[in-house]
Amino acid sequence: MPVISVPTDFNEEELYVDLRQVVGHGLFLKCEGFNFAGSIKLKAASEMVRAAEREGRLGPGSTLVESSSGNLGVALSMIAASRGYRFLCVTDSRCNPQTRRVIEALGSRVHVISEPDPHGGFLGARISYVRALCATDPRYVWLDQYTNEANWQAHYRTTAPAVARQFPRLDVLFVGVGTSGTLMGCAQWFWERRRRVRIVAVDSVGSVAFGGAPGRRMIPGLGTSVTPALLDASYVDDVVRVEEIDTVRACHRMARRGFLFGGSTGTVVSGAGAWLARNGSPDTTAVAISPDLGERYLDTVYRPGWPLEQYGEAALEREEEFGTGGLGTGELAAPV
């Protein structure tokens, strides 16, 4: 029986869900949401905080500040509460209401950006606010998940080796793209060990992570309005872009089988299903990484009527398929 004294001491690392009945192909989903932060972001948050403490940038009297679409904000608010720091999460209007309430319940503050930057979108606006805030007071410490090497190092040290232990004959790994910390940590680990593992990045349509025109995105987590500073596309074998309506569709299909996962997971599963339909074979060993669970998406992805409100006729065309149909087509693209 585990007995812990701080919340970061618990993280379930070895749980996988067999999704063959959901996607129609062999796919194991690595569940990263079973910790007190509720997402994979606990790993990056812990690594970045420890690095800042070692470097002397973070100490008594410091106030952590970070731009986050939600999950990292929860992880940092949890760590701040357990270590005695103050924390300000700078998010935007797409952040799930439940996520904001969790951050505040843990004693941290939330600042919501309501207008996107004309060129950098909501992310650009959030970063501009953080930079201006830090310039006014040296007690603010910005970990900067977008450029912080500890972000990808957390997954190099933990996530990739954990997958390799369970699947020594792994053929393909599907990873969603946000800051690209998870993607880069896993890709570099397998590349350095010369493992013959195909790395497939899953992105949202409207994200510019791998080029293309920016577009409207309503589900937080994956996708970005600026090119991730940590991203090195040379480590990526394929890119699949997923429409948000297909993200919702995948979430609903999994929920119909009793698995309530978050929007980021729905995107990754939809993209993995599309890739496997084109490239997989009966003996392909495939793993997808699930960043979070679904409770924080009850007012969005899982609320009746929300897909119609956000996506109009596209939702009507596919509404009857939620829970019964396929997982969408996915746009397969070469990395740039």
Side-chain angles (χ1 to χ4, degrees):
M1 176 179 72
V3 177
I4 65 172
S5 56
V6 292
T8 51
D9 284 349
F10 174 78
N11 185 41
E12 176 54 62
E13 185 74 273
E14 306 294 348
L15 178 62
Y16 294 80
V17 175
D18 185 344
L19 289 182
R20 183 180 294 275
Q21 291 185 323
V22 175
V23 303
H25 302 273
L27 179 65
F28 296 97
L29 187 65
K30 187 179 193 306
C31 302
E32 292 281 355
F34 290 97
N35 55 58
F36 283 96
S39 82
I40 196 171
K41 287 293 187 178
L42 177 61
K43 293 178 176 179
S46 298
E47 198 84 8
M48 290 189 296
V49 167
R50 285 195 296 264
E53 289 173 336
R54 287 195 304 268
E55 295 161 3
R57 295 192 299 121
L58 184 61
S62 297
T63 297
L64 285 165
V65 59
E66 186 58 77
S67 159
S68 170
S69 61
N71 282 338
L72 183 70
V74 172
L76 285 173
S77 63
M78 186 192 80
I79 292 171
S82 67
R83 297 198 179 204
Y85 297 123
R86 292 182 294 273
F87 172 55
L88 171 64
C89 179
V90 180
T91 188
D92 61 63
S93 54
R94 298 169 302 175
C95 180
N96 297 322
Q98 291 97 330
T99 300
R100 296 182 212 169
R101 292 197 291 270
V102 170
I103 293 171
E104 291 169 339
L106 288 165
S108 296
R109 292 182 294 137
V110 178
H111 178 82
V112 179
I113 300 293
S114 57
E115 294 295 329
D117 181 88
H119 304 291
F122 278 112
L123 176 56
R126 284 168 15 203
I127 291 175
S128 294
Y129 181 88
V130 171
R131 284 179 173 153
L133 187 67
C134 291
T136 67
D137 190 335
R139 289 174 295 182
Y140 282 109
V141 177
W142 180 25
L143 297 176
D144 190 3
Q145 62 167 325
Y146 311 104
T147 65
N148 196 319
E149 296 288 306
N151 184 344
W152 69 262
Q153 289 167 357
H155 302 287
Y156 180 95
R157 186 174 61 82
T158 61
T159 309
V163 172
R165 283 195 303 270
Q166 294 297 322
F167 298 92
R169 297 183 181 276
L170 182 67
D171 295 307
V172 56
L173 179 66
F174 299 95
V175 189
V177 183
T179 64
S180 77
T182 308
L183 176 65
M184 288 294 96
C186 291
Q188 290 189 54
W189 191 92
F190 282 107
W191 183 84
E192 287 181 8
R193 283 150 185 80
R194 302 296 188 269
R195 296 288 187 95
R196 299 177 69 85
V197 174
R198 196 165 188 83
I199 303 296
V200 179
V202 183
D203 200 9
S204 300
V205 170
S207 167
V208 303
F210 290 92
R216 176 177 176 268
R217 292 178 292 110
M218 297 306 298
I219 300 175
L222 298 188
T224 179
S225 53
V226 299
T227 303
L230 297 175
L231 178 62
D232 183 345
S234 68
Y235 287 98
V236 179
D237 296 293
D238 289 314
V239 178
V240 182
R241 294 184 174 92
V242 175
E243 294 276 2
E244 283 195 335
I245 190 61
D246 288 325
T247 292
V248 176
R249 199 175 173 203
C251 286
H252 281 250
R253 284 209 72 195
M254 290 186 286
R256 294 299 177 268
R257 294 189 176 273
F259 295 107
L260 197 70
F261 286 108
S264 298
T265 300
T267 301
V268 173
V269 169
S270 181
W275 191 94
L276 288 168
R278 297 183 182 120
N279 305 287
S281 66
D283 60 350
T284 298
T285 300
V287 170
I289 295 179
S290 164
D292 59 1
L293 302 178
E295 289 88 346
R296 294 171 192 164
Y297 298 80
L298 294 178
D299 284 342
T300 54
V301 169
Y302 292 104
R303 179 170 63 81
W306 187 84
L308 179 60
E309 293 170 8
Q310 302 302 324
Y311 310 114
E313 292 185 2
L316 282 177
E317 292 168 2
R318 299 182 185 179
E319 190 173 48
E320 64 183 16
E321 300 175 13
F322 290 166
T324 60
L327 288 175
T329 57
E331 176 190 343
L332 186 61
V336 294

